[in-house]
């Protein structure tokens, strides 16, 4: 991110540092918040505030956390990289956020085939963030179900993300209903 995007985040403060907001998704386990804050401190970030609500759960069952920090602009990219290297799911970093949303529908024995693991694989292998999930299981947890999943992905990565989702679907014997790309619907 250079100085240009840092300026979008807010005014420069004394000493050449700028304020930034980082949005994270954390597992609700002891020590996870500390694990997310350590890379910030270790890379020269100064914590301004943290906002999280344990009752506000993402579709994957994780907790969204918003961290306000300040640091010199040349250290911000290092902080974001260190967070990702520590296994922290960074949803938004400063002005950088996922630029596209796509919707896919998965049909098959979703619940029986571990929906949580499927969603984790989609996030990891398709480099996407699950924004929303709607599940219909009219035959119960052992029958055929469908899930509409709204995903955030980096701009220009739709084809790669869909290829990864197709591969996951094939491995789990799921039908993937995907959007039409590149056309005006």
């Amino acid at each position: 991110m250079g100085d240009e995007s840092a300026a979008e985040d807010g005014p420069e403060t004394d000493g050449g540092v700028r304020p930034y907001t980082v949005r994270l998704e954390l597992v609700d386990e002891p020590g996870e918040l500390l694990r997310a804050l350590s890379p910030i401190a270790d890379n020269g970030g100064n914590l301004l505030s943290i906002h999280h609500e344990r009752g506000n759960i993402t579709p994957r069952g994780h907790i969204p956390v918003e961290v306000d920090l300040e640091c010199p602009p040349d250290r911000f990219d290092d902080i974001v990289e260190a967070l990702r290297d520590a296994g922290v799911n960074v949803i938004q970093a400063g002005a950088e956020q996922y630029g596209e949303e796509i919707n896919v529908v998965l049909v098959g024995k979703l619940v029986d085939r571990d929906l949580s693991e499927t969603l984790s694989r989609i996030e990891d292998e398709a480099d996407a963030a699950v924004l929303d999930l709607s599940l219909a299981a009219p035959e119960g947890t052992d029958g055929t179900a469908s899930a509409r999943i709204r995903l955030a992905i980096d701009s220009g990565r739709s084809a790669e993300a869909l290829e990864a989702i197709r591969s996951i679907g094939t491995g789990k014997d799921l039908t993937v209903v995907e959007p039409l790309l590149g056309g005006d619907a």
Side-chain angles (χ1 to χ4, degrees):
M1 288 219 164
D3 291 328
E4 195 173 297
S5 63
E8 294 172 12
D9 292 330
E12 186 172 326
T13 60
D14 292 339
V17 297
R18 295 182 186 271
Y20 296 92
T21 297
V22 181
R23 289 183 177 86
L24 312 171
E25 184 183 51
L26 302 178
V27 176
D28 189 11
E29 293 178 1
E32 285 298 298
L33 184 57
L34 179 60
R35 185 172 68 90
L37 297 178
S38 294
I40 295 170
D42 294 346
N43 287 280
N46 183 37
L47 184 64
L48 298 174
S49 68
I50 303 169
H51 178 75
H52 85 298
E53 297 175 38
R54 289 189 68 197
N56 186 10
I57 304 296
T58 67
R60 291 189 333 135
H62 296 174
I63 299 173
V65 177
E66 186 171 291
V67 178
D68 293 317
L69 63 104
E70 62 183 7
C71 68
D74 61 340
R75 291 193 185 169
F76 186 65
D77 287 338
D78 294 336
I79 289 171
V80 174
E81 185 177 328
L83 284 165
R84 290 182 172 140
D85 288 347
V88 176
N89 189 13
V90 178
I91 302 299
Q92 179 178 352
E96 172 196 341
Q97 59 183 336
Y98 293 104
E100 292 182 36
E101 289 184 11
I102 59 172
N103 287 287
V104 296
V105 176
L106 301 179
V107 181
K109 299 210 179 250
L110 288 165
V111 180
D112 188 44
R113 303 233 166 92
D114 193 358
L115 180 59
S116 177
E117 191 266 343
T118 302
L119 295 174
S120 293
R121 284 189 57 198
I122 287 172
E123 287 199 333
D124 292 341
E125 296 174 31
D127 196 20
V130 174
L131 298 176
D132 188 43
L133 169 74
S134 297
L135 178 67
E139 300 172 14
T141 58
D142 293 332
T144 299
S146 63
R148 184 207 38 88
I149 306 168
R150 185 168 55 103
L151 300 165
I153 58 173
D154 288 325
S155 295
R157 291 208 63 257
S158 296
E160 293 91 346
L162 287 169
E163 181 60 36
I165 294 166
R166 277 186 223 109
S167 176
I168 293 165
T170 299
K172 292 188 163 240
D173 196 27
L174 301 172
T175 299
V176 178
V177 180
E178 56 189 77
L180 298 174
L181 299 177
D184 296 328

